[in-house]
């Protein structure tokens, strides 16, 4: 397992070097295309995807124990919106996506990259289950509370209001 972690760390560092070039040229293109709104919008998406890739590298480094996990208080709605925006751009035309985010969507202590990855993985699994057929992917985010009876079954746990 240690060897896999070392290998993952090495790959992550190499990929990070490639990302440095993507960021550098992306910034140069942003400067070169000032005044061209369509190009700026596309470049913003490229830079956002590169930033996600950078975060993924950080996750790999965390796995290889070369970096501590970065957990912050984050609003889940922003992460889910960003993931579904990326999904929309990459979905086949015959797949629709319906996103429903509750106004009371929770804020959690988590690593935003991991939440993004979980959202993407769940959506990708759902798309694979459609087996190329037309359909609709429903993504929803809302708060919920844990039921009282289940929390009383184990005496050492106190009932809490949970959000996900």
């Amino acid at each position: 397992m240690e060897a896999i972690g070392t290998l993952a760390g090495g790959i992550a560092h190499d990929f990070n070097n490639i990302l440095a070039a993507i960021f550098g040229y992306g910034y140069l293109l942003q400067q070169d295309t000032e005044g061209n709104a369509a190009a700026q919008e596309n470049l913003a998406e490229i830079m956002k995807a590169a930033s996600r890739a950078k975060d993924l590298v950080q996750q790999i480094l965390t796995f290889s124990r070369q970096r501590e996990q970065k957990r912050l208080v984050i609003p889940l709605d922003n992460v889910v919106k960003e993931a579904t925006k990326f999904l929309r751009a990459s979905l086949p035309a015959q797949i629709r996506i319906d996103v429903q985010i509750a106004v009371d969507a929770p804020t959690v202590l988590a690593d935003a990259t991991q939440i993004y990855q979980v959202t993407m993985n769940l959506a990708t699994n759902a798309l694979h289950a459609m087996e190329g057929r037309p359909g609709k992917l429903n993504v929803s985010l809302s708060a919920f509370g844990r039921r009282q009876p289940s929390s009383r079954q184990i005496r050492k746990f106190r009932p809490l209001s949970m959000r996900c």
Side-chain angles (χ1 to χ4, degrees):
M1 194 61 151
E2 185 178 331
I4 291 172
T6 302
L7 176 64
I11 292 169
H13 283 292
D14 290 344
F15 191 65
N16 220 17
N17 292 337
I18 295 167
L19 283 172
I22 292 171
F23 277 114
Y25 283 109
Y27 289 128
L28 290 173
L29 278 171
Q30 283 178 325
Q31 292 173 353
D32 291 345
T33 59
E34 280 184 22
N36 182 340
Q40 289 289 311
E41 189 175 317
N42 289 336
L43 282 167
E45 290 301 318
I46 290 170
M47 298 303 279
K48 195 182 294 182
S51 182
R52 278 281 169 218
K54 181 187 80 157
D55 291 343
L56 190 56
V57 166
Q58 296 306 310
Q59 249 187 291
I60 293 168
L61 290 172
T62 299
F63 168 76
S64 68
R65 293 185 175 86
Q66 296 180 22
R67 177 192 158 257
E68 290 297 316
Q69 187 179 29
K70 188 171 76 175
R71 295 188 318 165
L72 302 169
V73 175
I74 58 167
L76 283 178
D77 59 340
N78 292 343
V79 178
V80 171
K81 285 175 188 173
E82 189 174 328
T84 54
K85 184 177 179 183
F86 179 79
L87 281 168
R88 273 197 177 101
S90 60
L91 286 177
Q94 74 266 20
I95 306 289
R96 292 187 353 247
I97 186 166
D98 180 35
V99 181
Q100 295 179 4
I101 297 179
V103 292
D104 65 340
T107 300
V108 296
L109 177 64
D111 184 319
T113 301
Q114 290 179 343
I115 299 298
Y116 182 89
Q117 279 303 126
V118 166
T119 304
M120 293 298 289
N121 289 344
L122 288 170
T124 300
N125 291 346
L127 291 170
H128 286 183
M130 292 180 191
E131 298 177 336
R133 295 182 301 241
K136 181 171 78 168
L137 173 63
N138 293 311
V139 178
S140 65
L141 174 65
S142 62
F144 74 94
R146 188 161 82 179
R147 293 183 202 138
Q148 294 297 330
S150 65
S151 62
R152 291 183 184 163
Q153 291 172 352
I154 302 173
R155 290 187 179 170
K156 67 180 183 178
F157 292 115
R158 295 182 326 217
L160 297 173
S161 176
M162 305 297 288
R163 293 181 163 209
C164 178

